[in-house]
Amino acid sequence: MSKLDDLFAFLSIPSISAQREHAADVENCADFLVSKLASLGFDASKHLTTIHPIVVAKSPSVEGKPTLLIYGHYDVMPVDPIELWESEPFTPEIRDGRIYARGASDDKGPIMALIHGVQEILAEDGQLPLNVTFLLEGEEERGSETLYEFIKDPAVQKMLDCDVIVVSDTGMADINTPTFSYGLKGLCCFEIKVSGPAMDLHSGLFGGAAPNPISALCEMIASTRDANNVVTIAGFYDGVMPIADWERQSWSRVPGMSDRELSALTGSRALRTEKGYTGAECVYARPTFELNGITGGYQGEGSKTVIPTHATAKISCRLVPGQDPQRVMNCARKHFEKVCPPSVTMEFFDGHTGEAYIIDPHTNYGKAAQRALENTFGTAPVLLREGGSIPIVAAISKTLGKDTIFLGLDLPDARIHSPNENMRVEIYEKGIELTKNLLRLMGEE
Ligand code: BES
Ligand code: ZN
């Protein structure tokens, strides 16, 4: 099938990993990849797990050449709010030079660009310039639980043995600016629940006397940062890797990342950065404490004068190299225990964690990847660290003892995780060319 037909078929499978009703679709998606890679002569197999399958596919061996391990994820985020989509999320459609579908940029488009890069080299040269192994999982968007287990097995480690790892699941500064990302943020997610009265209370009969758990939660959350937007949780910044001078300089030149542009891009009236740092520096290299959701009390139509029984907040902290996710989560727990008013009780629920990741961008493979970007896009790449996370990357790299190199194709307006996710056809085609350049250059290392 043509490169667009293959991508469309891939995008048509609703492989939403978080939703139980899509489990069969996720498995179909794994089968689709196995048959596609097998058709290119790869030894491809589907490994069942307790959640979603993992696909591993190895190229026919190319003697005396290095091995490239390509990691990606074939699962996608849920589609809601569905009413904001201009076309069906799993019926891909091209409008204004963009392919619209859930997963178009995160991460099915980039995966298919890698596969078709391989396919074109095979068609042109009859063989690959190096050994290629694909490792494609179906749980990245929900925390990669079973892949963490999978890579602990020594037999799996042998199967995945490689010289370097490549991931195309990160960002690109803009359509004309190839991007070499040399770091990812880590994260820790948790939830706090504050409970007050044993039953919903009339706010006139008991207000002013009974504790309000929503107020308590708000006060507790307000205590986590000061007027300079510095996080006040004791120990939060311990170990944080400082930003090097060359990084500040490099980041100040990334298109679209000036404070003014970031403010426009996010549709905000102004930025709210940690004092002493630009918006780009905060995104790339400062740890953050972010509220993702807060609930409690009456949310329906009209007013209801009530003191509710409880309130909850979902929180995630993005972390940088040098921070231990579990330790940061413990610091947060201690902080909330300390500031929790005695009139209410608090429960703290640990969520998933992942370590930050950073490489030296100037290794031989790093330089080869930067050359491949320059050859493809006609200009040298910008170097940056990502604000996003792919938690399993640090674990894979550490387990296999090899660097991971990121060649991201997600543009800032690709709307990943949002309605109308898209990928420009032009970028998909560049991705294929990039794969060919990369494989050929790495084959010479
Ligand atoms: N592909 C993204 C991560 C990404 C996007 C990194 C753009 C850099 C630039 C990945 O699929 C993702 O969304 N990761 C989640 C991880 C979470 C669900 C554990 C994230 O960063 O929120
Ligand atoms: Zn994602």
Side-chain angles (χ1 to χ4, degrees):
M1 283 214 288
S2 80
K3 56 193 171 188
L4 268 181
D5 289 343
D6 265 335
L7 178 57
F8 273 44
F10 193 20
L11 289 171
S12 301
I13 308 171
S15 51
I16 304 171
S17 55
Q19 298 172 337
R20 215 177 299 259
E21 68 265 32
H22 285 289
D25 297 315
V26 178
E27 181 150 5
N28 284 341
C29 204
D31 291 332
F32 170 86
L33 288 167
V34 168
S35 70
K36 174 71 205 175
L37 288 161
S39 78
L40 300 181
F42 278 59
D43 179 7
S45 50
K46 177 176 80 175
H47 299 259
L48 295 178
T49 71
T50 52
I51 308 179
H52 298 309
I54 295 164
V55 172
V56 178
K58 292 172 83 81
S59 67
S61 133
V62 189
E63 279 304 306
K65 290 291 182 183
T67 301
L68 179 66
L69 177 68
I70 296 175
Y71 161 84
H73 66 94
Y74 66 84
D75 63 322
V76 299
M77 276 285 179
V79 295
D80 52 293
I82 183 84
E83 64 280 7
L84 297 183
W85 284 81
E86 279 168 37
S87 53
E88 290 297 317
F90 297 108
T91 309
E93 187 178 297
I94 298 183
R95 299 193 300 273
D96 305 326
R98 295 167 195 253
I99 306 154
Y100 285 88
R102 169 57 86 230
S105 273
D106 185 12
D107 182 27
K108 290 178 172 175
I111 291 178
M112 198 47 85
L114 286 157
I115 295 177
H116 268 272
V118 165
Q119 181 169 335
E120 287 190 12
I121 295 187
L122 286 170
E124 288 164 21
D125 305 344
Q127 63 165 36
L128 292 175
L130 77 181
N131 300 285
V132 175
T133 304
F134 281 93
L135 169 65
L136 305 170
E137 70 153 321
E139 289 173 35
E140 194 272 346
E141 301 289 17
R142 52 174 288 164
S144 305
E145 192 181 321
T146 65
L147 187 52
Y148 280 102
E149 287 307 311
F150 189 66
I151 60 174
K152 282 186 192 156
D153 179 348
V156 168
Q157 291 167 15
K158 194 159 167 258
M159 176 169 72
L160 300 179
D161 183 38
C162 61
D163 296 281
V164 64
I165 305 157
V166 161
V167 173
S168 180
D169 190 27
T170 51
M172 186 171 163
D174 73 16
I175 188 151
N176 301 313
T177 311
T179 303
F180 183 83
S181 307
Y182 59 96
L184 287 176
K185 273 188 172 170
L187 86 174
C188 66
C189 303
F190 50 90
E191 199 171 324
I192 52 182
K193 178 174 179 187
V194 173
S195 301
M199 69 225 67
D200 277 10
L201 299 173
H202 188 290
S203 66
L205 267 58
F206 300 102
N212 185 316
I214 303 181
S215 308
L217 177 63
C218 291
E219 288 157 23
M220 289 161 67
I221 287 167
S223 75
T224 60
R225 67 158 118 193
D226 69 14
N228 292 326
N229 292 319
V230 173
V231 177
T232 50
I233 295 170
F236 186 78
Y237 292 101
D238 286 1
V240 165
M241 179 191 242
I243 302 171
D245 287 342
W246 74 266
E247 296 186 291
R248 283 182 189 261
Q249 277 165 25
S250 166
W251 300 347
S252 70
R253 291 191 299 268
V254 177
M257 288 299 282
S258 70
D259 283 5
R260 195 178 44 76
E261 289 164 305
L262 268 178
S263 178
L265 185 68
T266 57
S268 315
R269 291 180 61 188
L271 295 186
R272 198 156 180 243
T273 53
E274 185 185 344
K275 194 171 180 193
Y277 298 93
T278 65
E281 287 162 5
C282 290
V283 171
Y284 296 157
R286 296 297 297 165
T288 63
F289 177 97
E290 213 70 66
L291 282 151
N292 303 126
I294 180 159
T295 51
Y298 181 66
Q299 314 274 343
E301 204 180 333
S303 59
K304 184 179 183 215
T305 48
V306 70
I307 300 174
T309 55
H310 64 271
T312 60
K314 286 180 187 283
I315 297 167
S316 59
C317 297
R318 295 276 173 178
L319 308 176
V320 303
Q323 287 180 296
D324 173 357
Q326 195 56 50
R327 205 183 151 269
V328 172
M329 190 134 74
N330 293 343
C331 292
R333 180 204 300 269
K334 279 196 201 124
H335 178 90
F336 287 115
E337 280 165 358
K338 197 176 86 194
V339 298
C340 182
S343 53
V344 296
T345 57
M346 185 204 70
E347 290 163 278
F348 187 103
F349 303 97
D350 288 16
H352 54 235
T353 58
E355 262 178 62
Y357 185 72
I358 190 162
I359 56 157
D360 168 5
H362 304 301
T363 59
N364 284 350
Y365 286 117
K367 285 192 284 199
Q370 290 171 50
R371 272 205 307 283
L373 284 163
E374 178 158 5
N375 293 350
T376 307
F377 290 91
T379 171
V382 289
L383 268 59
L384 54 81
R385 295 200 231 158
E386 290 289 355
S389 310
I390 312 172
I392 193 73
V393 160
I396 297 176
S397 266
K398 215 190 251 179
T399 304
L400 301 178
K402 297 294 174 341
D403 273 0
T404 297
I405 281 168
F406 304 97
L407 295 171
L409 299 173
D410 299 355
L411 287 171
D413 63 359
R415 305 203 180 191
I416 63 172
H417 295 200
S418 303
N420 304 312
E421 179 174 350
N422 64 83
M423 181 182 225
R424 285 177 190 258
V425 178
E426 183 189 337
I427 289 293
Y428 178 55
E429 283 165 355
K430 286 272 193 239
I432 295 172
E433 212 183 308
L434 175 62
T435 306
K436 293 163 72 177
N437 286 327
L438 180 81
L439 266 53
R440 286 177 172 142
L441 284 165
M442 284 194 167
E444 289 164 15
E445 287 304 320

